[in-house]
Amino acid sequence: MNWDLFHELLGLFCFGYPFAMAYYWMIGALLYRLVRERHQPLPSTLPVLDAYPPVSVVVPCFNEERQLEETFAALTRINYPDYEIIAINDGSRDGTQVKLDQLATQIPQLRVLHLAQNRGKSTALNCGAQAARHELLVCIDGDTLLDPNAVAWMVRRFQSDPQIGGLAGNPRIRNRSSIVGLLQVGEFCGTVGLIRRAQNVYGTLFTVSGAICAFRKRALQEAGWWDPAALTDDVDVSWRVQLAGWNIEFVPKAMAWILTPETLRGLWRQRLRWSEGGSDVVLRALPHLFSRRGLRVWPIWLNYVAAILWSYAILLLIAIGIVDFVSVGFNVELEGIGLIPGNWGMALATTYLLQMLVAALLDARLERHMLRTQFWVVWYPLAYWVLQAASAAVGIVRAALHFNRRAGTWVSPDRGFQ
Amino acid sequence: MKNPWPPIIDRRHTPFVVRLRDVLLSALAWAVLIYFLLPVVKLTWAGALVLIGIEERLPAPQLRLFLTELRPFLMLVAVFALWLTAFAALRYQRLSVGRWGQDEPAPLSAEEELRQWGYSESTRLALREAKSTVLSTDDDGRIIDVESRALPADTSEALKF
C-alpha cells in the first residue's frame, strides 16, 4: 500500500473521529440543557411530585465491610416518604454478613438477603429485585453514597413519561486526592456527562451507570432481567431494556458519590473490564440490529465500533511515530508519518478545551468549583487517551475470546486512597 | 457525628511533596498543550488587533486551516448538529404535550413474577417479609431455597450515623 495514502487515511481518522464527536457531544449536551434542564429547579431543591409511589433501593454487596456504614447512613437520609432498602450480600468473605445484620437491627427500612454462594452482581440484583415489594427499583453499589434528593429526581422523571423503563443517574467522583482521581472528575463531567446528555437527545443511551440507576420492574421483565453471564451488567441490561422497546433517560440531578481507582493499575483493570463488557454487549447485539426495535441502537452501535477502530488507529499511529523517531541510523524511514499532524493537533487541543469548558459550565449547577477541577484534566488527551485506546483494543479481543463465558464475576475494585 | 456533604475526599491529607509534584507535572502538561495552541493564540491576538482597528484584516495562513483543511470535518459536524436538533425539537414537542396521552404501565403482578421465577407464593412472601434471609441459588442464579434468619438480638455498639 502507498505509504502516503495510508498515512493520510490514518491521520484523517485519528483526527477526525475525536474532533467530530467532540462537537457532536457538545451540541447534544447544549440541546439537552435547552430542552430538558432549562426550566427545572436547582439540583439542591427537592422536587415536588404529583404522587410519591413507593420505591425499593437495591444494594448488592461483595466484600464491602469497610464501606457499609457510610453507604447505609446515606440511605437513611433519603428525602423521600416511602422507600425500602434491600441489601444483598453475595457470598462475601469478609465481615459484610455480620455488619449487614447489625445494620438491619438499626435501620427499619432495611432487609438483608445473604446468598449462600458467591454468584456475581447480576444474580445479586435479580435476587434483590425479587425481594423488592415495589415496582420502581433504584440500584446502587455497596460503596455508593446516594444523594438525599436522588430518588425524588428519578421518580419525577419516571412520572414524566410512561415509556421510560430505566434511568441513568449521575455518578460523581468522591476521591480526589491524586491526579488519577482528579482527572476522572473531569472525565465524568467532560466526557461521560456530555455523551449521556447527547445520547439522551436522540433517545438511546449506551449504558446506565451500575453505581446509580433505576428501573421499572415491568421493563426488566420484558428485557429478561439481569443476565448472570454479562461481564458488565449495566451495559448489558441497558441494551436489552431498550431493545425491548423501553426508553432509558439520563437524570443529571440524580447524583451519587462513588469511589474510583487511584492507581494506574487499578484504572487499567477497571477500563479493561468496561471495555471487554461493552464489546461483549456490542457483539451480542449484532443479530438484533436488523429488527424493528434494533434500529434505534444503530447510532450507539456504530459509534462504539468507530471508537474501537479509532483505538487501533491511534495505537498504530503512535507505534509508527515511535519507529520513525528511533529509526535514525537504522535505515528505516517512514517519511511524513509523525505522532500528531501539526495544525490538526492544534485544532484537536482547541476542541478539547472547548469541550471541557462546556462540560464544566453545564455541571457548575450540580457541583461547585467544577471549573477549578479542570486544571487536572490536561492529562486526559495527553496520557489518558492512550490508556483508553489500549484497553479498548485489548477489550474487544478478550470479549471475542470469552464469548461463551458462563457467568460474570465480581471484581473487587481499587477504591483509591482514603 | 457530622455528615459532610458532598462527601468528597480531597487532597487535605496528601503529603505536600506529592501535591507539589502533581501541580508541577500538570503545569508542564499544560505547557505542552498550549504549545499546540500557539497558532490559535496568534490568531486570537490578530483578531483582537483587527477589532481595535490596528490591523485591517486577519492574516491568511491561519484562516486557511479553518476554512479549507477542516471544511469536511466541519460539514460533518453540521450534519450531526442538524440530526440532533431534529431529535431535540421532536422531544420538546412531545414533552410540551404532557404525558403523551399514555397511562403509567401496570406494575408487575404477583402471577407474572411467580411465572418468571418459578417458585411458590410462600417463597415469594418469605423473600419479601423476612428481615434477614439466606438464599440458595442454582448455577443460573435462580432461587431454590429461602431460609429466614434471626437477627442478632444485641448489637455491640450503635453505628455512627
Side-chain angles (χ1 to χ4, degrees), chain A residues 101 114 119 133 218 249, chain B residues 91 106 128 133 137 149:
Chain A
D101 280 345
H114 300 284
R119 293 292 191 185
R133 295 169 183 152
R218 177 157 295 284
E249 296 226 344
Chain B
R91 205 141 191 96
R128 293 181 175 207
T133 316
T137 56
R149 182 183 142 95

Side-chain angles (χ1 to χ4, degrees), chain A residues 26-285:
Chain A
M26 279 188 273
I27 293 164
L30 289 169
L31 284 170
Y32 180 86
R33 167 90 179 90
L34 270 177
V35 175
R36 301 303 298 264
E37 289 185 295
R38 196 167 34 138
H39 300 302
Q40 283 190 2
L42 287 170
S44 53
T45 317
L46 183 64
V48 179
L49 308 180
D50 298 342
Y52 291 85
V55 171
S56 300
V57 180
V58 179
V59 192
C61 308
F62 175 62
N63 293 345
E64 303 279 6
E65 181 187 8
R66 287 179 57 204
Q67 309 295 330
L68 291 176
E69 273 190 36
E70 248 187 328
T71 300
F72 286 88
L75 290 176
T76 60
R77 292 192 288 269
I78 291 176
N79 290 325
Y80 197 79
D82 190 358
Y83 69 97
E84 64 170 356
I85 308 166
I86 297 158
I88 309 100
N89 165 30
D90 185 20
S92 298
R93 292 184 285 272
D94 63 355
T96 297
Q97 178 178 323
V98 174
K99 183 71 88 179
L100 281 176
D101 280 345
Q102 193 182 0
L103 284 163
T105 61
Q106 299 186 17
I107 303 174
Q109 307 99 315
L110 174 62
R111 287 184 291 127
V112 183
L113 310 176
H114 300 284
L115 301 196
Q117 272 183 291
N118 175 245
R119 293 292 191 185
K121 188 178 174 186
S122 292
T123 297
L125 284 165
N126 282 336
C127 291
Q130 290 170 70
R133 295 169 183 152
H134 309 309
E135 173 68 8
L136 298 181
L137 306 179
V138 171
C139 309
I140 65 167
D141 282 346
D143 59 350
T144 297
L145 304 190
L146 192 63
D147 191 85
N149 295 345
V151 172
W153 279 108
M154 285 185 145
V155 173
R156 183 180 193 265
R157 182 57 63 86
F158 272 126
Q159 288 177 338
S160 73
D161 180 357
Q163 286 189 335
I164 293 177
L167 294 171
N170 190 356
R172 316 293 298 180
I173 307 294
R174 281 186 71 194
N175 45 338
R176 306 177 181 187
S177 55
S178 68
I179 287 185
V180 176
L182 282 161
L183 76 84
Q184 286 173 91
V185 178
E187 182 198 17
F188 272 70
C189 156
T191 308
V192 179
L194 282 191
I195 291 174
R196 289 221 170 110
R197 284 181 173 96
Q199 289 179 340
N200 205 131
V201 167
Y202 71 74
T204 309
L205 257 65
F206 182 78
T207 183
V208 301
S209 166
I212 162 81
C213 54
F215 293 97
R216 288 185 201 274
K217 270 188 182 175
R218 177 157 295 284
L220 288 170
Q221 165 82 3
E222 290 178 15
W225 301 88
W226 283 277
D227 178 4
L231 189 63
T232 43
D233 51 282
D234 42 7
V235 186
D236 178 73
V237 81
S238 303
W239 279 61
R240 284 188 295 105
V241 164
Q242 291 175 110
L243 285 169
W246 293 86
N247 289 340
I248 291 186
E249 296 226 344
F250 178 44
V251 191
K253 289 168 191 165
M255 294 189 285
W257 299 85
I258 62 169
L259 296 170
T260 53
E262 284 199 279
T263 61
L264 284 176
R265 186 166 181 266
L267 190 66
W268 166 256
R269 289 177 62 181
Q270 181 199 53
R271 297 307 155 112
L272 188 58
R273 192 176 66 82
W274 286 0
S275 170
E276 187 181 345
S279 301
D280 187 58
V281 171
V282 164
L283 290 173
R284 285 179 199 280

